[in-house]
Structures are given as structure tokens and as C-alpha cells.
Amino acid sequence: MDYLPIFADLKQRPVLVVGGGEVAARKIDLLLRAGAEVRVVAQALSGEVESLHQQSDVLWLSQSYQPEQLDDVFLVIAATDDTELNARVYEDANQRRVLANVVDDQPKCSFIFPSIVDRSPIVVAISSSGQAPVLARMLREKLETLLPASLGKMAEIAGSWRERVKQRFNSMSARRRFWEQAFDGRFASLTAGGQFDEAEQALKQLMDEPDEATHQGMVTLVGAGPGDVGLLTLRGLQVMQQADVVLYDFLVSDEVLDLVRRDAEKICVGKRAGNHLVMQEETNRLLVDLAKQGKKVVRLKGGDPFIFGRGGEELEVVAAAGIPFQVVPGITAAAGATAYAGIPLTHRERAQSVMFITGQIRTDGNGLQWSELARGQQTLAIYMGAMKASDISHHLIAHGRAAETPVAVIGRGTRADQQVLTGTLQNLEQLAQQAPSPALLVIGEVVELHHKLAWFGHHPETAGAQRPTVVNLA
């Protein structure tokens, strides 16, 4: 190893920073987060460093560097544009056996700053020994996506329980098994969901009844987004990577399913219009039975599970069975598909409100306030409406919506083969018949902006993807 990786305790220890510009400010921020007593030597201070000085967070020692300023410091950082001054700081520090870092000059560093993933008190440091800092940064970014923000709180709670666990389990191997079960079980899941009191109860139960506690599972309801795998939330990805079993529906794209943990069991409980392969009652029963087997169950739903996704119904059953649960929201189809189609849901000149409704309406139209839905200057985003497009068009026109109102039918929104078909309300049924499933109906003046704002399929990031089809039946 070129460098020994260590973590230094800088609390209340004096550290000297030579330089007061933007680069120095970044180093000062790290030092203050570690609790260091920061002293600055610089001819002038940047706005950020000046603000810290005014707040007495740092001490502006002087405008000129003197070797004696190193006599009682723990380490020193040289961050000036003067290479000769930086070299002199490094040599003076070496003579005094003070650790030194000259920014962007690796040969003149007796210590270096790694790329950091901060989940305090959990901290991950990545270093290339100064050889490839951009590569180290890219690795850090990957780790940021894999390590949940809750790790720090989990470690904090665990630290408060260490003595109790030591008293409960005499052998080191027993304590290790306890913490392995805790960090891979309900304690971890509850902490990730912000349920800290419940998480501590799970620790207590695991300590008092380890065999019983390991047989308790939980359910996490996850929104998979409208299709594009890039729209899956970071939290959703982390939960999917921890699942023992995943129940998914047809709206979840294959690309999203590919991100599920490889050894997790995957069960399709999908439904399509007129073809419920798995009845809702059976899905509810599976959620409860699998969780009671001690499994971490993920219920993966397209879009957002609380917007026409029956997520609330399923969680009512889970809650009634006394099973702990969490919800990870997703990007709903109306938000994702319209954004990818270049159709803003609201616009100051064209739509002052937006309504999300389901197209699963009765043929007589009863059950919906058509007079409210038919108002102008508002956007209607209609889920599952393709099969009822004729009825929807008829009722809206009958209640005053102009037949020439712009409409769009977005098929397979956000996916590489997305299709955007535009026209007017009077030919909504024809458009819906041409659109691939799943399809979202959008009705309102904002649809006119599609021809100005359409971007998906024409953007460099989507080069090579199948170009979305656009049909105009105006």
C-alpha cells in the first residue's frame, strides 16, 4: 500500500490551513465536520471562509505564513496557488513530523483526502493513492446508491445497545450472530423506515427471544415508476436488493425487475383489464403468509402504489394481520409519461389545475362529476381509460368540453418504444385504439405544447433507443 488508511480523531485538535480560497473552503468544511479547531493563514478569504471566520468557526491566524505556525498543530493543509509556498509548507511540516497535504500535488502529501461516503458514524473512504481521483469519485458515487442513508442511525442505535448485548450473550460468536440477524432483519428495515422506537423494540425482542424474532417478516410497498428503469427511486432499489420475495404486477418493466436481488423469489400477481390472472384476495393472502414465514416481502407496483394501484387496500390487510410495513413512493404514470412526452400537466396560460382519474367508469357515466371534469383550463390525466375512451369523450362533450379540445394518448410512456398520439377530444376513441398498452389519456390545452417540448427519443442520452412514434389526428 502506498498509504495506510486510518481515521484520525480531530475533535478539538488544531489544524492549519494555508490558503483561503474555494479549494481551502472545501477542506475546511471536512475539517469542521470532524470537529477540528481550524486555523487559517491567507492573504484574503473567500466569501465562504470569511463567513466562517465571522461566525468564529475558524480562526484567521494571519495573512502571511510562518514556519512557527506549525509548532502546535496536528496536521496542515496547503491550498494556495503559490507552488513555492506550498512546497515550503510541506518541507517545514516534514521537519516537525507534522502530517501535511498539498492540494493537487500528490508527491508533497504525507496524508491524502479520500473520497468519502458519509453515513456517520459509518464512514467509507475510497482512495486511489492520488493516482486516479476521478475513478475514486466514480466508485464513491456507486457506493452512495447502494448504502442507505439510514446506516448512520442504525449504527447509532446499535452502539447504544452494545453493553446490553454483551451482558445478554457471553460468547463473541453469539454476539456476532445477534448483530448479523439484526442488521439483516426487521431492525434494519424499521430503522430505514424511520420507525426508530419500533426498531429498538425489534432489537429487544431479538435479544429476549432470538428464535421467535427471526421468524417475523415485514412488507414493503414499492412504486416501480412508469417503466424507465432510471426513474426507480434510490430507496426502491435498496429495498429490492434486500428482498426475500417480490410480488410484482404487469406494469413493472423487465428492466426494473432485473434489479431485484438475484436469489429473491419473484411472483407475478398481475392483472389486466378483463383478465385477473391472480385475484386481489389471493395477492392479499400471499403478502400476509409470506411475511408470517419471516420473509422480507416487497410488493412491487408500477407507477406509485397509492395512485390507482390498490396499495392502500393491500396494506389494510397487512396491518390487520399485525405485520409491520413500509411504503416507498414511486413516480406515477401521469407525471412520468407526460414529462417524457413534453406535456406539462399545469401551465399558467393553459391549465391551472390537474385531475388524476381512473377510466374504469360505468357505461352510464354515473359516479363521476362530469360537469367538473369538463371545465376548461384544466388537465385530465386518465389512467386505465383506453377501453372506455368513447364513453369518456361522449360524456365530456355532453357536459360542455369542446370537441376540439387537444388530447394525447401516451402508450408505454417513458419506455424506449413510447408512442405519443395526439388529436382532439372528438377522436379520442380512435387514438386509444391505436395506442399500445399501458396507455395514459391526457385531455387539455397543455397537449398543444407537446410539439414544442417533445424531447424523449431526440436527446443524446437516448441515442440508439427506438424512436418514439408520434401520430397526429388533429
Side-chain angles (χ1 to χ4, degrees):
M1 292 187 297
D2 293 324
Y3 292 87
L4 175 67
I6 59 174
F7 288 84
D9 180 6
L10 298 183
K11 293 182 181 63
Q12 306 302 315
R13 296 182 186 272
V15 175
L16 181 65
V17 177
V18 182
E22 293 182 4
V23 175
R26 292 197 295 269
K27 303 303 182 185
I28 290 171
D29 176 65
L30 288 173
L31 294 170
L32 291 175
R33 285 161 59 184
E37 175 195 311
V38 179
R39 305 173 182 179
V40 178
V41 172
Q43 292 183 349
L45 303 181
S46 68
E48 185 176 352
V49 180
E50 173 64 26
S51 177
L52 292 171
H53 170 58
Q54 293 297 330
Q55 298 169 22
S56 299
D57 291 330
V58 303
L59 172 65
W60 190 4
L61 205 57
S62 74
Q63 292 182 310
S64 60
Y65 165 74
Q66 301 296 329
E68 295 77 15
Q69 293 162 347
L70 296 170
D71 286 345
D72 62 344
V73 300
F74 194 71
L75 53 85
V76 60
I77 299 166
T80 77
D81 295 329
D82 187 336
T83 55
E84 292 185 3
L85 174 58
N86 289 344
R88 186 150 52 93
V89 172
Y90 174 70
E91 293 298 332
D92 292 342
N94 273 349
Q95 291 177 10
R96 288 166 171 77
R97 294 191 177 93
V98 173
L99 292 174
N101 176 278
V102 177
V103 177
D104 289 335
D105 193 352
Q106 186 261 341
K108 293 185 176 62
C109 292
S110 52
F111 80 94
I112 56 177
F113 283 92
S115 291
I116 295 172
V117 180
D118 188 359
R119 301 288 188 270
S120 294
I122 300 296
V123 178
V124 180
I126 307 153
S127 171
S128 66
S129 297
Q131 301 302 309
V134 173
L135 177 59
R137 189 204 70 208
M138 292 173 65
L139 291 173
R140 185 206 72 203
E141 291 171 354
K142 291 183 182 296
L143 286 175
E144 288 278 8
T145 67
L146 296 174
L147 302 179
S150 60
L151 276 181
K153 185 63 177 180
M154 195 186 310
E156 181 183 325
I157 295 174
S160 69
W161 278 74
R162 286 189 67 191
E163 287 303 318
R164 277 175 279 185
V165 173
K166 283 183 179 179
Q167 294 175 10
R168 171 65 176 81
F169 301 104
N170 294 325
S171 70
M172 185 177 295
S173 61
R175 292 194 294 271
R176 184 178 66 250
R177 284 194 300 273
F178 170 86
W179 287 118
E180 287 173 348
Q181 292 174 351
F183 294 141
D184 193 40
R186 290 184 62 235
F187 165 66
S189 298
L190 291 167
T191 304
Q195 299 167 276
F196 304 133
D197 292 340
E198 293 85 348
E200 296 211 45
Q201 285 297 319
L203 273 186
K204 183 177 186 305
Q205 184 176 8
L206 182 59
M207 189 168 65
D208 294 342
E209 306 173 62
D211 293 333
E212 180 66 24
T214 55
H215 286 86
Q216 292 194 356
M218 71 177 302
V219 172
T220 304
L221 190 61
V222 177
D228 183 351
V229 68
L231 298 182
L232 179 68
T233 66
L234 177 58
R235 174 72 181 136
L237 172 62
Q238 292 168 345
V239 169
M240 288 161 55
Q241 287 287 308
Q242 298 167 0
D244 296 315
V245 58
V246 174
L247 277 61
Y248 67 95
D249 59 45
F250 287 125
L251 294 179
V252 179
S253 68
D254 292 339
E255 293 79 9
V256 171
L257 281 176
D258 284 342
L259 297 177
V260 173
R261 195 174 83 179
R262 293 298 178 190
D263 56 349
E265 182 183 4
K266 291 186 281 190
I267 302 174
C268 179
V269 292
K271 302 173 182 64
R272 290 194 172 104
N275 183 18
H276 287 198
L277 297 184
V278 179
M279 298 300 292
Q280 185 62 55
E281 292 75 15
E282 174 64 11
T283 300
N284 296 345
R285 186 190 63 78
L286 279 171
L287 289 171
V288 171
D289 289 351
L290 290 168
K292 285 185 174 180
Q293 294 171 24
K295 295 182 178 181
K296 286 177 284 188
V297 182
V298 165
R299 176 65 171 104
L300 193 59
K301 289 177 171 286
D304 180 273
F306 277 4
I307 298 181
F308 304 123
R310 301 191 183 183
E313 298 175 32
E314 293 178 1
L315 286 190
E316 284 184 290
V317 175
V318 171
I323 295 168
F325 60 87
Q326 299 175 16
V327 181
V328 179
I331 294 177
T332 188
T338 55
Y340 274 50
I343 301 174
L345 288 171
T346 62
H347 187 277
R348 285 194 299 170
E349 297 176 0
R350 300 171 189 262
Q352 284 71 55
S353 63
V354 58
M355 298 183 70
F356 293 179
I357 62 174
T358 173
Q360 300 299 304
I361 61 174
R362 292 163 52 179
T363 55
D364 60 9
N366 291 333
L368 291 176
Q369 298 295 323
W370 289 106
S371 58
E372 292 294 321
L373 298 177
R375 289 186 306 168
Q377 297 293 301
Q378 77 172 353
T379 305
L380 298 182
I382 306 177
Y383 294 70
M384 301 170 286
M387 294 183 65
K388 296 295 182 68
S390 176
D391 293 331
I392 292 169
S393 174
H394 168 76
H395 288 296
L396 287 174
I397 293 173
H399 285 79
R401 196 69 151 128
E404 295 76 24
T405 300
V407 301
V409 180
I410 308 170
R412 296 182 64 78
T414 78
R415 307 187 192 204
D417 56 350
Q418 169 182 292
Q419 292 187 25
V420 183
L421 292 80
T422 62
T424 59
L425 184 57
Q426 59 194 348
N427 56 40
L428 180 64
E429 180 183 12
Q430 184 181 357
L431 293 170
Q433 289 174 349
Q434 297 180 44
S437 181
L440 178 82
L441 312 185
V442 185
I443 300 171
E445 290 79 3
V446 291
V447 172
E448 294 176 336
L449 294 170
H450 160 70
H451 301 290
K452 292 182 179 180
L453 305 181
W455 61 272
F456 183 58
H458 303 272
H459 194 278
E461 291 181 359
T462 59
Q466 182 177 342
R467 187 176 297 278
T469 301
V470 180
V471 177
N472 187 359
L473 291 182

